[in-house]
Amino acid sequence: MEGFVGWPAEFEERYIAEGYWKDGLLGDVLNGVDPDREALVCGEERLTYGELDRRAERTAAGLLRLGLKKGDHVVVQLPNSPSFVIGLLAMMRIGVLPVLALPAHRESEIGYLCELAGARAYFIPDVHGGHDHRELARKTSVEFVIVDGEAQEFVSFADLDADPVPYEKPSPSDVALFLLSGGTTGLPKLIGRTHRDYVYNYEASAEVCGFGPDTGYLVVLPAAHNFALACPGILGALSRGGKVVLAPSGAPDAAFPLIEAERVTVCAVVPPIALLWLDAVSWSDEDLSSLEVLQVGGAKFAAERAVQVPGVLGCRVQQVFGMAEGLLNYTRLDDPDELVAVSQGRPLSPADEIRVVDAEGEDVPSGEVGELLTRGPYTLRGYYRAPAHNARSFTDDGFYRTGDLVRRLASGHLIVEGREKDQINRGGDKVAAEELENHLLAHPAVHDAAAVGVPDPVMGERTCAFLIVREGDTPPTLRELKEFLKSRGVAAYKFPDRIETIDVFPRTPVGKVSKKQLAALLT
Ligand code: OOB
């Protein structure tokens, strides 16, 4: 596929020969499970494996009838709903590629994604979280808008129901879907994941996490996020005959009743949700005893809080340090408690290659902090249609520069010590500093802008925008600035939490804005 960077042939041969890549297709994830078993629960809706399979097959036929075909790209922006799972399975079966946007994205992100991906369709809810996605859709120039709900002038998802037809399946080496990178530069990047690498991603994860037919997997993070989708996530649970329960959010009053009612055994959360749950237990009376494992990842989970989980929530913690780009690290279910508390896990696969390097790219001695570089059977070799960015983000021999600073223990476990990339990790939501700065620079009163992460006890980090205001202008208030960003169609999680005005930016010896010194001004 044009714009996709695959693995060199020698690596392909090796990953196949060593059994990491098999011939599986993502659309076949339900195969082999008893059709009468329960597969998916969302609100009042309950689907067995047989029903989910039929709905996916009928929707696949509907998409083909609409005029979509193998190789087409579709931006999917759906909340946690049966339509997300059905639509995704349908597309994967016929080789239509979903580009997984987050529900919080707005015109700025969606317009860009539709353009970059050359999307033919955009799949949305009618109204979600008070936002009418159809209005957003009217600003795009895609051929088809598919609406889950009241479709107005668009195509209704319900109408995509058609009698199954024969179709040509994709090949295991084809790109199956696009995930979004957290981003460090002006605009987010697309990560093409192939059938065989993503099947390996969730199957190996399901193995390490002990998923099986008795797994009750609760989805509280956006289903479009790699963590909830395939680590082991929705796909991992379905591949093992487990039950997937969709929640609208991680709020205790949404999640706890579902844990009790559905006998949920495992859930993936970001640290702020874990903290919320630790606090909420004392004032809730739900029975959480079915919960066996709380997976925590997306941002660093403090050791002091990790040790509290078993006593307070009555389950084990599993730390997960992953990335949409590929590499996943998990603490293992039988790791000693101290290791589970302090480390962010070790690589999923024996074929994951890890290097920890200094600023010159030399390996640091074991146990010392350096940048994590990685290569492996489910880690990308390049972002989609981004050659210039790829030249910087990968070594000549194909290692991905994660921008994460880690320390590696003798056991192979990694401890995340910080970050080198210019990104703010706001409780697991990633904000590319440069992207936000570019929006801030568009404000008439702003001469220059620098976004930095400020430590926060709950979110891990919050965003502070340092502004140099144009001479004679008054600085915008935080409220005005948020309104301004909203009017530009920027997702709300990227809004600054705080603004500071400053006369000049501190600089590094090479003349770059020193974000370290800026952050230090606040503490
Ligand atoms: C997950 O994926 P992304 O793509 O949203 O973000 C990846 C970045 C990592 O490079 C790292 O900077 C940070 O998020 N991160 C963590 C972490 N997990 C992710 N930093 C510290 N501790 C952790 N446990 O965030 C993601 C994807 C799959 C599974 C889990 C998380």
Side-chain angles (χ1 to χ4, degrees):
M1 182 173 78
E2 168 272 321
F4 171 72
V5 187
W7 288 261
E10 57 187 292
F11 285 88
E12 292 194 334
E13 284 158 21
R14 183 183 146 207
Y15 295 148
I16 292 169
E18 294 177 5
Y20 298 109
W21 288 353
K22 303 202 184 70
D23 280 341
L25 293 171
L26 289 167
D28 292 339
V29 63
L30 310 177
N31 287 7
V33 182
D34 174 358
D36 293 330
R37 284 191 73 83
E38 204 148 46
L40 191 62
V41 178
C42 183
E44 300 293 294
E45 212 170 331
R46 308 186 80 90
L47 295 175
T48 64
Y49 276 81
E51 287 162 343
L52 180 56
D53 182 54
R54 262 192 306 282
R55 294 275 300 271
E57 202 63 8
R58 294 187 65 84
T59 302
L63 290 168
L64 291 167
R65 187 178 62 186
L66 185 66
L68 289 173
K69 56 178 197 319
K70 189 161 166 264
D72 283 346
H73 299 172
V74 176
V75 172
V76 175
Q77 188 188 29
L78 289 174
N80 295 351
S81 57
S83 311
F84 176 89
V85 181
I86 295 164
L88 204 70
L89 288 175
M91 290 183 213
M92 286 163 171
R93 286 182 183 189
I94 57 175
V96 165
L97 281 61
V99 179
L100 297 182
L102 296 173
H105 287 147
R106 293 293 176 264
E107 292 99 283
S108 161
E109 293 90 6
I110 297 296
Y112 165 77
L113 288 175
C114 287
E115 186 81 18
L116 174 64
R120 283 192 74 201
Y122 175 38
F123 189 2
I124 52 169
D126 47 10
V127 178
H128 176 67
H131 180 260
D132 190 332
H133 285 258
R134 294 162 301 197
E135 277 173 27
L136 206 166
R138 286 186 192 107
K139 296 179 186 154
T140 69
S141 52
V142 296
E143 249 171 282
F144 306 110
V145 175
I146 303 165
V147 184
D148 186 22
E150 192 50 60
Q152 295 176 344
E153 74 267 39
F154 302 123
V155 179
S156 160
F157 178 66
D159 290 344
L160 289 180
D161 182 66
D163 286 337
V165 291
Y167 52 81
E168 190 199 341
K169 285 188 174 191
S171 135
S173 60
D174 286 348
V175 175
L177 76 163
F178 289 101
L179 299 176
L180 267 52
S181 83
T184 52
T185 58
L187 295 159
K189 299 282 173 290
L190 290 181
I191 301 159
R193 304 290 305 252
T194 62
H195 284 273
R196 58 189 180 189
D197 95 74
Y198 216 47
V199 167
Y200 176 67
N201 189 107
Y202 71 69
E203 281 190 348
S205 294
E207 181 67 37
V208 153
C209 300
F211 276 33
D214 295 332
T215 295
Y217 179 75
L218 180 67
V219 187
V220 303
L221 301 176
H225 191 273
N226 190 30
F227 193 7
L229 183 58
C231 308
I234 296 171
L235 294 171
L238 292 175
S239 73
R240 295 278 173 129
K243 176 172 77 171
V244 173
V245 181
L246 299 172
S249 78
D253 52 359
F256 286 5
L258 284 171
I259 295 176
E260 174 175 310
E262 301 295 339
R263 305 296 297 161
V264 165
T265 61
V266 50
C267 182
V269 299
V270 288
I273 297 180
L275 300 184
L276 213 58
W277 286 21
L278 283 170
D279 284 344
V281 168
S282 60
W283 48 259
S284 83
D285 59 2
E286 280 89 6
D287 172 11
L288 306 182
S289 62
S290 60
L291 199 59
E292 292 166 9
V293 179
L294 186 66
Q295 294 186 291
V296 188
K300 185 150 172 174
F301 192 38
E304 309 82 72
R305 299 308 222 129
V307 294
Q308 295 176 338
V309 171
V312 178
L313 289 164
C315 65
R316 259 171 303 182
V317 185
Q318 180 178 48
Q319 295 219 38
V320 186
F321 164 37
M323 52 205 74
E325 283 80 359
L327 179 71
L328 302 173
N329 301 277
Y330 293 97
T331 56
R332 302 307 199 256
L333 300 178
D334 55 1
D335 276 344
D337 292 346
E338 318 84 66
L339 199 54
V340 171
V342 303
S343 95
Q344 279 63 59
R346 66 179 168 86
L348 169 65
S349 173
D352 283 322
E353 297 174 76
I354 299 291
R355 286 182 63 200
V356 183
V357 304
D358 62 20
E360 278 70 51
E362 300 296 329
D363 294 85
V364 302
S366 166
E368 286 184 20
V369 177
E371 186 190 358
L372 170 65
L373 309 186
T374 186
R375 189 166 81 166
Y378 60 101
T379 295
L380 87 174
R381 289 300 186 117
Y383 294 98
Y384 180 64
R385 291 184 175 162
H389 187 68
N390 287 339
R392 292 190 299 274
S393 302
F394 296 83
T395 64
D396 292 342
D397 54 355
F399 278 83
Y400 166 58
R401 301 181 203 272
T402 65
D404 291 314
L405 295 174
V406 303
R407 201 148 56 81
R408 183 164 40 168
L409 306 177
S411 60
H413 287 70
L414 302 175
I415 298 178
V416 180
E417 297 285 5
R419 197 177 48 229
E420 214 166 58
K421 53 190 168 191
D422 201 5
Q423 186 183 73
I424 298 146
N425 190 337
R426 202 172 168 278
D429 284 333
K430 313 302 185 314
V431 182
E434 190 184 311
E435 183 186 357
L436 173 56
E437 289 158 5
N438 286 341
H439 285 297
L440 296 172
L441 286 172
H443 190 283
V446 174
H447 169 67
D448 207 350
V452 299
V454 195
D456 180 86
V458 176
M459 300 295 279
E461 283 179 316
R462 284 182 190 273
T463 308
C464 178
F466 280 91
L467 304 178
I468 300 178
V469 175
R470 282 187 199 283
E471 242 179 80
D473 268 326
T474 40
T477 63
L478 182 59
R479 207 188 162 101
E480 285 162 359
L481 205 60
K482 286 185 182 176
E483 273 308 315
F484 173 73
L485 292 170
K486 192 172 170 197
S487 73
R488 289 180 62 83
V490 179
Y493 68 84
K494 297 177 185 170
F495 295 177
D497 298 290
R498 167 173 175 181
I499 47 179
E500 292 290 330
T501 52
I502 191 166
D503 294 332
V504 283
F505 289 141
R507 300 272 167 181
T508 65
V510 294
K512 286 205 242 170
V513 174
S514 171
K515 301 246 166 144
K516 253 197 204 117
Q517 287 183 55
L518 279 176
L521 293 175
L522 298 171
T523 47

